[in-house]
Amino acid sequence: MTDRSLHLVTLVGSLRKKSYNAAVARALPDLAPEGMSITPLPSVGSVPHYDADVQAEGFPESVQALGNAIRGADGVIIISPEYNYSVPGVLKNAIDWCSRLPDQPFRRKPVLIQSASPGVLGGARMQYHLRQILVFLDALAFTVPEVMVGGAAGKIDEATGTLTDQGTRDFITKQLKAFAEFVQRVSPG
Amino acid sequence: MTDRSLHLVTLVGSLRKKSYNAAVARALPDLAPEGMSITPLPSVGSVPHYDADVQAEGFPESVQALGNAIRGADGVIIISPEYNYSVPGVLKNAIDWCSRLPDQPFRRKPVLIQSASPGVLGGARMQYHLRQILVFLDALAFTVPEVMVGGAAGKIDEATGTLTDQGTRDFITKQLKAFAEFVQRVSPG
Amino acid sequence: MTDRSLHLVTLVGSLRKKSYNAAVARALPDLAPEGMSITPLPSVGSVPHYDADVQAEGFPESVQALGNAIRGADGVIIISPEYNYSVPGVLKNAIDWCSRLPDQPFRRKPVLIQSASPGVLGGARMQYHLRQILVFLDALAFTVPEVMVGGAAGKIDEATGTLTDQGTRDFITKQLKAFAEFVQRVSPG
Amino acid sequence: MTDRSLHLVTLVGSLRKKSYNAAVARALPDLAPEGMSITPLPSVGSVPHYDADVQAEGFPESVQALGNAIRGADGVIIISPEYNYSVPGVLKNAIDWCSRLPDQPFRRKPVLIQSASPGVLGGARMQYHLRQILVFLDALAFTVPEVMVGGAAGKIDEATGTLTDQGTRDFITKQLKAFAEFVQRVSPG
């Protein structure tokens, strides 16, 4: 499907072990078009609370690791729940750290957003706040189609943490193909 | 100025010791109308990363302390910088924890927002994201006038951390009076 | 149900004759609690394109009529589709006119938002943009529960334009009761 | 400066004759890098209120003209005031019409946003709402630097409608160069 091979990385916005969003992230490699590899970034829980005084003493290794992994990828997929109609604090905190790094890792980086939630809206409100954040980061945010997995409890096997809903899998497959096309169009390798 | 005495608490969105927003928060008691007391809430750095698995084992004491202090107040003043065109992760994380508490502390609680930043916009983008969060929390968000302290470096004494700009002090005084009137109007004691 | 009788007015964001949102608006009087009357405002199509040069020659009668009707009500219910992830231009245009009126009609006016759309999200993105607009207008925006009628085609009888879905009718009934309580709590008559 | 010649079109969000935003739009051709031509689109006042029933009888000629002009350009510059913390209704209405056209004109079209206002924020809140609208339209929205002309009354000659402030002119010149680079990078001609 893709003309050039693409290496993408996933950033998950929830720390819960049985997170619906982690389940979606785990499903992605299987759904990726040929030539696209997808591997997880370190957990957003690996970085401390952002504090400019801590930054002044040097970026924590965990932040540098996150930044390096993002810089080395052709694109980033952020998969996150919505907390209180916005981006989870833990995810935003990891982004806040990355944004301060020299050679800011999200600059001109293609970014795809996905969300899952038990509710009907599937995390939509999180997505638009995240998009505004990506403007400042000068990322290349993919637009449509958008993946918002509503009613996630019925689409993910609780015991195995597997995204089982075929309609959702098909839609994500379609989105990943479109993102591959987008990355190659707007972000020369 | 106020007919009934009001006890307000401040939540600061930055952990930096010389934070402009902490400086604004410290200035508030001096600027408050008669009958209004203003005391600081615990630091947003006092709570861990939000993790539903941790919550399942019981709310951390730091989260309970934060929730209790909010519940005991007549209103909350959130004073925060803008990070990456949105709410700082550390502040959002503290709110994410509070939102899960039984007897959710922000419910029907009058909330005032202030922000300070070195830039021209003074944190405006943070304020509107925070407002959307407050909708879910069912808070009573004060509307106008809004306090966005732009060019904060020139309005706060770096050495002493004092808000010295008289125009800003006067405007905050005016806003606090309007908030006192708002609290008494929409939130019977 | 309500202690004081309340007179509410509805503003519909679509001009289409078979508008889903107009259908929801027509259903409201039947679903209102005792003591609450609900009547329609003039159409948003009745006012011209906003133009400050036209305003300088005097507010059009249609704008004055809209403003007077809003001022005379205890609260406003805005029922609108989402166009392009935001507020329909025609609705925003009517609000733009009203906002310039002396004795700005939305000031301290309780406002309830509802939306209907064929899609899954039911107009959610429109609602949050409208909420930001209401901040400037200094309105008292009701928070939760929110009514977003997704999949509207299956819930409204196309031939008669009647909101037939019982679950939606029940939920709106519940919201109207909560709004009645809100109006009496935050907006003394 | 540009390797390929670029033809851009401007869409102004205000109908006022002495509009600050129209003044900014008029200044752009002078500030454009070599190889970039900039011409005005028809006024947003040229299209009627959006009404799906009118659309069903055929798109008005004014809407088709607007769509054709956008389709024929390498990019669109939207210059608009902020009304009530959001996009002016008249501008949104024109976009609502365009969005319904077959071969939707904004799809994959590079778009630059500028705003001017008498206030300090310079129309910032309008810009982020417009960005959300552009997501649905699948446009390629330029990110940073952003042009928000605050305190416009002091930067535009009232009598001649000329953007006189040199700092603003220089900053717009810089932004137009960056936009030219962006268009060539993400939107093959």
Side-chain angles (χ1 to χ4, degrees), chain C residues 140-161:
Chain C
L140 288 161
F142 179 79
T143 56
V144 287
E146 298 167 307
V147 165
M148 297 159 178
V149 183
K155 296 172 177 168
I156 291 163
D157 185 289
E158 180 75 13
T160 63

Side-chain angles (χ1 to χ4, degrees), chain D residues 14-181:
Chain D
S14 168
L15 298 181
R16 190 167 70 98
K17 281 207 181 61
K18 297 202 162 188
S19 161
Y20 296 133
N21 287 278
V24 171
R26 281 193 305 270
L28 298 183
D30 258 12
L31 307 175
E34 206 185 311
M36 179 189 281
S37 69
I38 303 180
T39 58
L41 286 170
S43 165
V44 295
S46 69
V47 305
H49 285 332
Y50 176 75
D51 181 335
D53 295 330
V54 172
Q55 178 192 331
E57 292 171 17
F59 283 94
E61 281 186 28
S62 55
V63 173
Q64 297 190 45
L66 197 52
N68 288 337
I70 293 170
R71 279 192 214 96
D74 295 302
V76 180
I77 307 178
I78 302 178
I79 308 115
S80 176
E82 171 186 300
Y83 288 173
N84 300 304
Y85 288 6
S86 187
V87 179
V90 285
L91 170 59
K92 179 57 166 46
N93 181 65
I95 294 173
D96 289 343
W97 268 114
C98 289
S99 72
R100 306 296 185 117
L101 285 168
D103 188 13
Q104 196 261 94
F106 285 101
R107 183 165 185 264
R108 296 193 182 178
K109 188 69 66 184
V111 175
L112 182 68
I113 306 172
Q114 298 179 342
S115 57
S117 83
V120 173
L121 270 61
R125 289 165 288 227
M126 182 282 300
Q127 295 210 9
Y128 301 105
H129 277 196
L130 185 51
R131 285 185 180 280
Q132 182 164 311
I133 292 163
L134 293 172
V135 171
F136 180 76
L137 297 174
D138 197 12
L140 288 160
F142 178 80
T143 56
V144 287
E146 297 167 307
V147 166
M148 297 158 179
V149 184
K155 296 172 178 169
I156 292 163
D157 185 289
E158 180 74 13
T160 63
T162 310
L163 176 67
T164 49
D165 184 68
Q166 194 57 44
T168 304
R169 292 178 68 91
D170 292 347
F171 194 70
I172 290 177
T173 299
K174 187 180 158 187
Q175 191 202 40
L176 290 175
K177 278 185 190 164
F179 186 56
E181 188 274 333

Side-chain angles (χ1 to χ4, degrees), chain A residues 55-119:
Chain A
Q55 178 191 332
E57 294 171 15
F59 283 95
E61 281 187 29
S62 56
V63 173
Q64 296 191 45
L66 197 53
N68 288 337
I70 292 170
R71 280 192 212 96
D74 295 302
V76 180
I77 308 177
I78 301 177
I79 309 115
S80 176
E82 171 186 300
Y83 288 173
N84 300 306
Y85 288 6
S86 187
V87 178
V90 286
L91 170 60
K92 180 57 166 47
N93 181 65
I95 293 173
D96 288 343
W97 268 114
C98 289
S99 72
R100 306 298 185 114
L101 285 168
D103 188 14
Q104 196 260 95
F106 284 101
R107 182 162 187 264
R108 296 195 182 175
K109 188 69 66 182
V111 175
L112 182 68
I113 305 172
Q114 299 180 341
S115 57
S117 82

Side-chain angles (χ1 to χ4, degrees), chain B residues 97-119:
Chain B
W97 268 115
C98 289
S99 72
R100 306 299 184 114
L101 284 168
D103 188 13
Q104 196 261 94
F106 285 100
R107 182 162 188 265
R108 296 195 181 175
K109 187 70 64 183
V111 175
L112 181 69
I113 306 173
Q114 299 178 342
S115 56
S117 83

Side-chain angles (χ1 to χ4, degrees), chain C residues 8-146:
Chain C
L8 307 182
V9 288
T10 54
L11 190 63
V12 173
S14 167
L15 298 181
R16 189 167 71 98
K17 282 207 181 61
K18 296 203 162 187
S19 161
Y20 296 134
N21 287 278
V24 170
R26 281 192 304 271
L28 297 184
D30 257 12
L31 307 175
E34 207 184 310
M36 178 189 281
S37 68
I38 302 180
T39 59
L41 286 169
S43 164
V44 294
S46 68
V47 305
H49 286 330
Y50 176 75
D51 182 334
D53 295 331
V54 172
Q55 179 191 333
E57 294 171 16
F59 283 95
E61 281 187 29
S62 56
V63 172
Q64 297 191 45
L66 197 51
N68 288 337
I70 292 170
R71 279 192 215 96
D74 295 301
V76 180
I77 307 177
I78 302 178
I79 309 115
S80 176
E82 172 186 298
Y83 288 173
N84 301 303
Y85 287 5
S86 187
V87 178
V90 286
L91 170 59
K92 180 58 166 47
N93 180 66
I95 293 173
D96 289 342
W97 268 114
C98 290
S99 72
R100 307 296 185 117
L101 285 168
D103 188 13
Q104 195 261 96
F106 284 101
R107 181 163 188 265
R108 297 196 180 175
K109 189 69 66 182
V111 175
L112 181 69
I113 306 173
Q114 299 180 339
S115 57
S117 84
V120 172
L121 269 61
R125 289 166 287 228
M126 182 282 299
Q127 295 209 9
Y128 301 105
H129 277 197
L130 185 51
R131 283 185 181 280
Q132 182 164 311
I133 293 163
L134 293 173
V135 171
F136 179 76
L137 297 175
D138 196 12
L140 288 161
F142 179 79
T143 56
V144 287
E146 298 167 307

